[in-house]
């Protein structure tokens, strides 16, 4: 009957309205998630790089950190972590470049400064070891244990000559 047909049309309209609202909500959610994901991809690469480093896949880690840096050239952690991966491969000059870049972005990056000291010492470069130890000690955010590390490093480095 016509009234049954009319009832089905009304039900269809109601379901269609609900479906339209669901599609709209999904589109809105997808759009915001997509924007959020795009802004977090650099963190994804850095986190994956960290996992690769733990698995001793240093080259794979370097590639991921490099991808993160391409997405966000001001991402200090990506430079710092890539420096660590280079250091593990004994690519000390590349490590120093990355640690210095991390420090350029964040002059209070204590671990980057510390690692520069360690790398220069590994290279038996006493001059730069002392220069960077001096710079390390001038970082404003050093804790007491950081200051103690510097004091012990000075003693160890001077006695290893």
């Amino acid at each position: 009957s016509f009234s049954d047909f009319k009832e089905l049309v009304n039900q269809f309209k109601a379901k269609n309205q609900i479906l339209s609202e669901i599609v709209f909500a999904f589109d809105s959610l997808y759009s915001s998630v997509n924007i959020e994901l795009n802004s977090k991809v650099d963190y994804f690469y850095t986190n994956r790089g960290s996992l690769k480093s733990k698995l001793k896949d240093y080259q794979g880690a370097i590639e991921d950190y490099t991808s993160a840096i391409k997405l966000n050239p001001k991402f200090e952690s990506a430079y710092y972590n890539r420096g660590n991966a280079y250091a593990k491969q004994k690519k000390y000059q590349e490590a120093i470049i990355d640690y210095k870049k991390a420090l350029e972005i964040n002059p209070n990056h204590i671990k980057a400064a510390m690692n520069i000291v360690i790398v220069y010492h590994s290279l038996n470069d006493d001059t730069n070891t002392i220069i960077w130890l001096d710079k390390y000690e001038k970082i404003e955010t050093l804790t007491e244990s950081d200051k103690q590390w510097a004091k012990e490093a000075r003693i160890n480095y001077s006695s290893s000559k």
Side-chain angles (χ1 to χ4, degrees), residues 61-113:
I62 289 167
E63 290 166 10
D64 279 346
Y65 297 135
T66 301
S67 294
I69 290 165
K70 285 179 183 175
L71 290 167
N72 182 356
K74 299 282 186 194
F75 195 11
E76 71 185 78
S77 294
Y79 287 103
Y80 170 74
N81 288 325
R82 188 172 71 176
N84 289 340
Y86 279 132
K88 290 288 189 180
Q89 292 184 321
K90 299 191 184 324
K91 294 180 179 178
Y92 295 127
Q93 295 305 322
E94 292 92 334
I96 290 168
I97 290 167
D98 278 350
Y99 294 143
K100 286 180 179 179
K101 186 64 179 179
L103 276 166
E104 178 185 315
I105 296 166
N106 176 6
N108 291 316
H109 199 299
I110 295 168
K111 289 182 179 181

Side-chain angles (χ1 to χ4, degrees), residues 108 110-111 114 133 136-137 139-153:
N108 291 316
I110 295 168
K111 289 182 179 181
M114 181 186 292
L133 191 51
Y136 171 86
E137 290 176 319
I139 294 175
E140 295 174 2
T141 57
L142 290 180
T143 65
E144 285 306 313
S145 77
D146 296 326
K147 292 174 186 175
Q148 184 62 34
W149 178 86
K151 184 178 178 181
E152 290 172 12

